[in-house]
Amino acid sequence: MDHVHSTTSERKKGQHLTFEERVIIQTRLKDDWSVNRIAEEIGCASNTIRNEIRRGTVSLYNDNVQRYKAKVGQQTYENNRRNCCRHYDLLEKSDFVAYVETNFWENGWSLDACVGRARVEGLFTREQMVCTKTLYRYVQLGLLEIKNIDLPEKLKRRARKSRSRQNKRVLGRSIEDRPKEIENREEFGHWECDLVIGSKTRDEQALLTMAERKSREYWMIPIPDKHPESVMTALETIRGKYSEHFSEVFRTITTDNGSEFASLTDLEQLADTLIYFAHPYTSCEKGTVERHNGLIRRFIPKGKRIDDYPLERIVQIELWCNSLPRKILGYRTPDEVFEAELDRIYGFCAA
């Protein structure tokens, strides 16, 4: 630039005006410089100069003269900066925050589940609540009784790199043959199942876990061991419970290629239920049940024997999973959706 006092090369984008620069503005205005010329000398946008002149202009001589004063502009700037900060409405919305903390600690709900359920049930108006993102920011800032270490999903370890292994046998019909419309989860009756064990002992008690893809209903069925006969006995008990409606409640079952499911295809001879097997070492193809298995690991850590937990405790864990409001279900619980589907099936059949 041609101006001796130009600071264009020294100024950073977004940098605030200094008192010295306000003195330059006052001086140049006395010399009848244009706003654009002043902005060019200081090295900022012309709108910055216009805004500064508006903030620092005072009335003189019985309001007959309007003149910019650098000291007034600086004082206005300092007052604005004193009040310029991020404001948290934590205190104003303390009732909602207390509701969140209560359900987080007592019911094990996620922060998003607390927000969504309160909104669905109309417990608070929108003005009385903060959003999920704000709640997580409060946790990060330490403004709540909830800390980052209390959020199970936030501090998970990184997943290991996958290894390609092709040597495991496929026990039956591949998941590739499963109808594509099952993927959209709009039809009820499509299940995934897995086995949860405590230690590696084969004859130790295990949990047969099942999850319905649409409602996210999750069952934990204790079985005496990992043998295929124990799995089939548990399924036979379920089949007896639903009797003639079993094939409507259980249209398909998708599982992995573990040896404990070697006899599962025998179920097709007893009902219209179709059995599908995921690809070897690809647990993501039955992600619903795997995700729920991760939830119960909060209560039954890996390495702990299943038979160390009484049946009442297992029922409590299952009840907690099925009473947890889910965003994907419109903040309804899996039990609510599942019961609605059963009412539809039984009502239709009765008609």
Side-chain angles (χ1 to χ4, degrees), residues 175-225:
I175 194 174
E176 294 179 357
D177 300 327
R178 193 174 70 175
K180 299 300 180 184
E181 55 266 23
I182 295 178
E183 297 295 329
N184 59 26
R185 301 175 184 266
E186 293 180 358
E187 186 179 45
F188 175 76
H190 302 287
W191 294 74
E192 299 173 3
C193 73
D194 197 11
L195 206 68
V196 173
I197 61 175
S199 61
K200 302 273 184 176
T201 307
R202 181 170 177 79
D203 293 329
E204 182 201 343
Q205 186 179 18
L207 290 175
L208 175 64
T209 58
M210 304 187 69
E212 202 280 318
R213 288 176 56 82
K214 179 180 180 180
S215 65
R216 274 69 173 185
E217 179 77 2
Y218 182 65
W219 292 351
M220 302 165 59
I221 307 167
I223 56 177
D225 50 50

XYZ file of all heavy atoms in Angstrom, residues 175-225:
431
model
N -27.165 -65.969 4.808
C -27.882 -64.699 4.933
C -28.041 -64.011 3.575
O -28.907 -63.155 3.407
C -27.136 -63.775 5.925
C -28.033 -62.596 6.344
C -25.817 -63.286 5.341
C -27.444 -61.730 7.422
N -27.249 -64.411 2.612
C -27.382 -63.851 1.263
C -28.735 -64.193 0.651
O -29.214 -63.482 -0.232
C -26.258 -64.368 0.373
C -24.871 -63.889 0.779
C -23.785 -64.445 -0.115
O -24.112 -65.246 -1.020
O -22.606 -64.075 0.076
N -29.338 -65.288 1.110
C -30.641 -65.701 0.582
C -31.806 -65.067 1.334
O -32.963 -65.297 0.976
C -30.767 -67.232 0.661
C -29.678 -67.940 -0.137
O -29.263 -67.390 -1.173
O -29.231 -69.033 0.294
N -31.513 -64.314 2.366
C -32.582 -63.678 3.133
C -33.204 -62.555 2.322
O -32.493 -61.757 1.692
C -32.023 -63.122 4.446
C -33.088 -62.733 5.454
C -32.471 -62.321 6.779
N -31.762 -61.051 6.678
C -31.214 -60.422 7.706
N -31.263 -60.968 8.916
N -30.584 -59.267 7.541
N -34.549 -62.447 2.281
C -35.205 -61.385 1.502
C -34.701 -59.993 1.886
O -34.514 -59.686 3.068
C -36.688 -61.557 1.854
C -36.810 -62.991 2.254
C -35.514 -63.345 2.931
N -34.493 -59.168 0.892
C -33.934 -57.832 1.117
C -34.871 -56.940 1.929
O -34.422 -56.028 2.622
C -33.614 -57.161 -0.227
C -32.587 -57.912 -1.066
C -31.265 -58.049 -0.329
C -30.235 -58.793 -1.178
N -28.966 -59.021 -0.438
N -36.183 -57.187 1.835
C -37.118 -56.319 2.567
C -36.978 -56.464 4.080
O -37.468 -55.605 4.830
C -38.563 -56.619 2.157
C -38.981 -58.057 2.305
C -38.791 -58.851 1.004
O -37.965 -58.422 0.171
O -39.460 -59.885 0.867
N -36.331 -57.511 4.541
C -36.115 -57.657 5.980
C -35.176 -56.563 6.493
O -35.249 -56.166 7.661
C -35.559 -59.063 6.292
C -36.604 -60.132 5.939
C -35.159 -59.200 7.752
C -36.134 -61.552 6.169
N -34.317 -56.052 5.624
C -33.334 -55.057 6.045
C -33.972 -53.761 6.514
O -33.402 -53.052 7.343
C -32.363 -54.769 4.896
C -31.534 -55.965 4.455
C -30.582 -56.451 5.535
O -30.130 -55.602 6.332
O -30.307 -57.653 5.601
N -35.135 -53.414 5.989
C -35.721 -52.109 6.333
C -36.462 -52.121 7.670
O -36.957 -51.085 8.116
C -36.660 -51.633 5.218
C -37.798 -52.605 4.948
O -38.209 -53.377 5.815
N -38.323 -52.575 3.723
N -36.586 -53.287 8.317
C -37.162 -53.417 9.658
C -38.619 -52.958 9.744
O -39.093 -52.550 10.801
C -36.331 -52.643 10.693
C -34.872 -53.078 10.789
C -34.114 -52.188 11.747
N -32.694 -52.524 11.799
C -32.143 -53.348 12.685
N -32.900 -53.939 13.577
N -30.848 -53.590 12.663
N -39.336 -53.009 8.654
C -40.731 -52.587 8.681
C -41.674 -53.734 9.013
O -42.813 -53.501 9.417
C -41.112 -51.969 7.336
C -40.388 -50.651 7.051
C -40.787 -50.055 5.716
O -41.601 -50.702 5.000
O -40.288 -48.960 5.376
N -41.227 -54.960 8.835
C -42.071 -56.119 9.109
C -41.669 -56.756 10.430
O -40.480 -56.949 10.709
C -41.956 -57.142 7.977
C -42.919 -58.308 8.115
C -42.797 -59.285 6.956
O -41.656 -59.634 6.582
O -43.841 -59.702 6.430
N -42.665 -57.100 11.220
C -42.427 -57.702 12.526
C -42.166 -59.205 12.382
O -42.698 -59.864 11.498
C -43.634 -57.472 13.427
C -43.554 -58.142 14.767
C -42.747 -57.626 15.759
C -44.275 -59.299 15.033
C -42.668 -58.242 17.007
C -44.214 -59.910 16.270
C -43.396 -59.383 17.254
N -41.351 -59.753 13.276
C -41.173 -61.198 13.336
C -39.837 -61.709 12.856
O -39.664 -62.913 12.696
N -38.878 -60.820 12.638
C -37.561 -61.236 12.170
C -36.566 -61.056 13.322
O -36.336 -59.949 13.799
C -37.136 -60.430 10.948
C -38.107 -60.561 9.806
N -38.214 -61.708 9.055
C -39.036 -59.700 9.312
C -39.154 -61.546 8.138
N -39.676 -60.335 8.276
N -35.975 -62.162 13.755
C -35.158 -62.194 14.960
C -33.703 -62.468 14.647
O -33.361 -63.030 13.601
C -35.672 -63.271 15.917
C -37.031 -62.995 16.474
C -38.225 -63.099 15.819
C -37.356 -62.572 17.801
N -39.271 -62.768 16.645
C -38.761 -62.448 17.874
C -36.595 -62.296 18.935
C -39.414 -62.052 19.030
C -37.254 -61.914 20.093
C -38.638 -61.779 20.138
N -32.865 -62.064 15.581
C -31.449 -62.432 15.565
C -31.143 -63.094 16.907
O -31.710 -62.694 17.927
C -30.561 -61.203 15.381
C -30.800 -60.464 14.075
C -30.033 -59.152 13.989
O -29.270 -58.869 14.948
O -30.198 -58.422 13.004
N -30.272 -64.089 16.889
C -29.935 -64.731 18.161
C -28.440 -64.973 18.267
O -27.728 -65.020 17.263
C -30.722 -66.030 18.351
S -30.186 -67.406 17.340
N -27.994 -65.106 19.496
C -26.576 -65.288 19.778
C -26.458 -65.984 21.126
O -27.458 -66.221 21.819
C -25.863 -63.935 19.788
C -24.353 -64.069 19.661
O -23.876 -65.177 19.359
O -23.644 -63.071 19.889
N -25.238 -66.284 21.510
C -24.984 -66.915 22.799
C -23.987 -66.076 23.569
O -22.943 -65.703 23.036
C -24.439 -68.339 22.604
C -24.709 -69.315 23.748
C -26.204 -69.624 23.830
C -23.942 -70.614 23.545
N -24.304 -65.751 24.816
C -23.424 -64.991 25.692
C -22.893 -65.934 26.756
O -23.679 -66.608 27.435
C -24.158 -63.806 26.339
C -23.274 -63.125 27.374
C -24.585 -62.802 25.281
N -21.586 -65.990 26.886
C -20.968 -66.855 27.875
C -20.137 -66.017 28.830
O -19.762 -64.881 28.529
C -20.087 -67.926 27.210
C -18.955 -67.268 26.399
C -20.922 -68.829 26.316
C -17.967 -68.255 25.818
N -19.859 -66.606 30.002
C -19.023 -65.916 30.974
C -17.565 -66.264 30.779
O -16.749 -65.430 30.410
N -17.225 -67.510 30.975
C -15.862 -67.979 30.745
C -15.868 -68.934 29.564
O -16.890 -69.147 28.915
C -15.320 -68.673 32.004
O -16.123 -69.799 32.326
N -14.745 -69.520 29.258
C -14.601 -70.354 28.074
C -14.969 -71.814 28.332
O -14.825 -72.663 27.471
C -13.147 -70.295 27.588
C -12.685 -68.874 27.270
C -13.016 -68.471 25.870
C -12.452 -67.089 25.554
N -12.648 -66.669 24.193
N -15.413 -72.135 29.532
C -15.751 -73.513 29.849
C -17.001 -73.946 29.094
O -18.026 -73.259 29.114
C -15.995 -73.660 31.366
O -14.871 -73.136 32.064
C -16.187 -75.113 31.732
N -16.939 -75.094 28.436
C -18.037 -75.525 27.574
C -19.289 -75.888 28.364
O -20.405 -75.643 27.922
C -17.587 -76.711 26.714
C -18.676 -77.208 25.759
C -18.132 -78.215 24.761
N -19.179 -78.743 23.901
C -19.681 -78.116 22.849
N -19.234 -76.911 22.536
N -20.622 -78.669 22.113
N -19.121 -76.485 29.541
C -20.274 -76.948 30.312
C -20.803 -75.901 31.281
O -21.619 -76.212 32.152
C -19.886 -78.217 31.083
C -19.612 -79.389 30.147
O -20.246 -79.424 29.079
O -18.765 -80.237 30.483
N -20.349 -74.663 31.140
C -20.831 -73.600 32.025
C -22.157 -73.063 31.511
O -22.454 -73.102 30.311
C -19.803 -72.470 32.083
C -20.193 -71.345 33.019
C -19.452 -70.056 32.691
O -18.445 -70.142 31.991
O -19.905 -68.995 33.148
N -22.965 -72.545 32.424
C -24.235 -71.943 32.042
C -23.997 -70.772 31.086
O -23.008 -70.043 31.196
C -24.988 -71.461 33.277
C -26.397 -70.957 32.970
C -27.127 -70.501 34.218
O -26.501 -70.247 35.240
N -28.437 -70.408 34.150
N -24.917 -70.605 30.133
C -24.811 -69.532 29.142
C -26.162 -68.843 29.011
O -27.165 -69.260 29.614
C -24.348 -70.095 27.800
N -26.185 -67.782 28.214
C -27.420 -67.053 27.938
C -27.692 -67.097 26.441
O -26.858 -66.668 25.633
C -27.307 -65.601 28.391
C -27.260 -65.315 29.889
C -27.027 -63.826 30.130
C -28.549 -65.759 30.561
N -28.836 -67.632 26.079
C -29.296 -67.542 24.700
C -29.991 -66.189 24.558
O -31.000 -65.937 25.231
C -30.259 -68.678 24.376
C -30.914 -68.627 22.985
C -29.875 -68.774 21.881
C -31.994 -69.709 22.859
N -29.441 -65.302 23.752
C -30.010 -63.962 23.595
C -30.692 -63.856 22.243
O -30.182 -64.335 21.233
C -28.920 -62.885 23.714
O -27.912 -63.114 22.727
C -28.289 -62.915 25.091
N -31.831 -63.201 22.232
C -32.617 -63.027 21.007
C -33.111 -61.588 20.950
O -33.508 -61.019 21.971
C -33.794 -64.001 20.967
C -33.391 -65.471 21.094
S -34.772 -66.596 20.846
C -35.101 -66.375 19.098
N -33.099 -61.011 19.748
C -33.552 -59.627 19.555
C -34.414 -59.552 18.309
O -34.027 -60.063 17.239
C -32.365 -58.682 19.434
N -35.585 -58.949 18.439
C -36.478 -58.760 17.297
C -36.093 -57.472 16.585
O -35.957 -56.422 17.210
C -37.927 -58.710 17.786
C -38.955 -59.039 16.718
C -39.237 -57.857 15.812
O -39.356 -56.736 16.351
O -39.328 -58.043 14.586
N -35.933 -57.527 15.278
C -35.316 -56.423 14.541
C -36.178 -55.163 14.513
O -35.651 -54.056 14.567
C -35.014 -56.867 13.100
C -33.857 -57.840 12.996
C -33.678 -58.321 11.559
N -33.507 -57.214 10.626
C -32.366 -56.578 10.393
N -31.268 -56.958 11.041
N -32.291 -55.604 9.529
N -37.483 -55.272 14.439
C -38.327 -54.079 14.344
C -38.519 -53.408 15.700
O -38.314 -52.197 15.844
C -39.691 -54.442 13.752
C -40.628 -53.248 13.644
C -41.969 -53.633 13.045
C -42.891 -52.412 12.957
N -44.216 -52.747 12.368
N -38.919 -54.180 16.706
C -39.246 -53.603 18.008
C -38.043 -53.472 18.934
O -38.106 -52.777 19.938
C -40.297 -54.474 18.701
O -39.755 -55.766 18.983
N -36.935 -54.169 18.609
C -35.744 -54.231 19.460
C -36.029 -54.943 20.792
O -35.307 -54.768 21.762
C -35.166 -52.845 19.752
C -34.201 -52.329 18.689
C -34.875 -52.007 17.408
N -33.943 -51.355 16.450
C -34.330 -50.888 15.276
N -35.593 -50.989 14.909
N -33.465 -50.330 14.463
N -37.092 -55.747 20.820
C -37.350 -56.571 21.999
C -36.187 -57.540 22.187
O -35.706 -58.167 21.237
C -38.658 -57.348 21.815
C -39.018 -58.254 22.965
C -39.594 -57.512 24.162
O -39.745 -56.273 24.078
O -39.904 -58.169 25.167
N -35.722 -57.678 23.414
C -34.496 -58.439 23.696
C -34.769 -59.439 24.810
O -35.297 -59.082 25.856
C -33.396 -57.465 24.107
C -32.058 -58.098 24.393
C -31.329 -58.740 23.400
C -31.516 -58.032 25.671
C -30.092 -59.293 23.667
C -30.277 -58.589 25.950
C -29.574 -59.223 24.943
O -28.337 -59.768 25.209
N -34.405 -60.699 24.546
C -34.613 -61.759 25.530
C -33.282 -62.340 25.952
O -32.363 -62.516 25.139
C -35.487 -62.871 24.950
C -36.909 -62.459 24.692
C -37.517 -61.307 25.069
C -37.887 -63.214 23.965
N -38.810 -61.277 24.641
C -39.076 -62.434 23.959
C -37.891 -64.450 23.338
C -40.241 -62.868 23.341
C -39.053 -64.885 22.719
C -40.217 -64.098 22.722
N -33.192 -62.688 27.225
C -32.022 -63.365 27.791
C -32.506 -64.662 28.424
O -33.160 -64.637 29.467
C -31.340 -62.467 28.827
C -30.893 -61.123 28.292
S -30.509 -59.935 29.615
C -29.223 -60.799 30.504
N -32.210 -65.777 27.800
C -32.737 -67.069 28.220
C -31.595 -67.916 28.781
O -30.700 -68.330 28.028
C -33.404 -67.798 27.044
C -34.442 -66.882 26.381
C -34.023 -69.113 27.498
C -34.931 -67.374 25.046
N -31.551 -68.172 30.078
C -30.482 -69.009 30.642
C -30.600 -70.451 30.139
O -31.686 -71.035 30.131
C -30.717 -68.919 32.149
C -31.589 -67.728 32.344
C -32.435 -67.630 31.120
N -29.491 -71.025 29.698
C -29.442 -72.431 29.310
C -28.273 -73.077 30.046
O -27.300 -72.403 30.394
C -29.291 -72.600 27.778
C -28.054 -71.868 27.262
C -30.539 -72.078 27.062
C -27.817 -72.057 25.762
N -28.333 -74.388 30.309
C -27.330 -75.009 31.182
C -25.927 -75.058 30.605
O -24.950 -75.097 31.357
C -27.886 -76.417 31.398
C -28.825 -76.649 30.264
C -29.400 -75.316 29.922
N -25.803 -75.071 29.265
C -24.472 -75.160 28.647
C -24.565 -74.696 27.200
O -25.616 -74.215 26.756
C -23.933 -76.604 28.723
C -24.956 -77.624 28.230
O -25.500 -77.424 27.129
O -25.218 -78.603 28.965
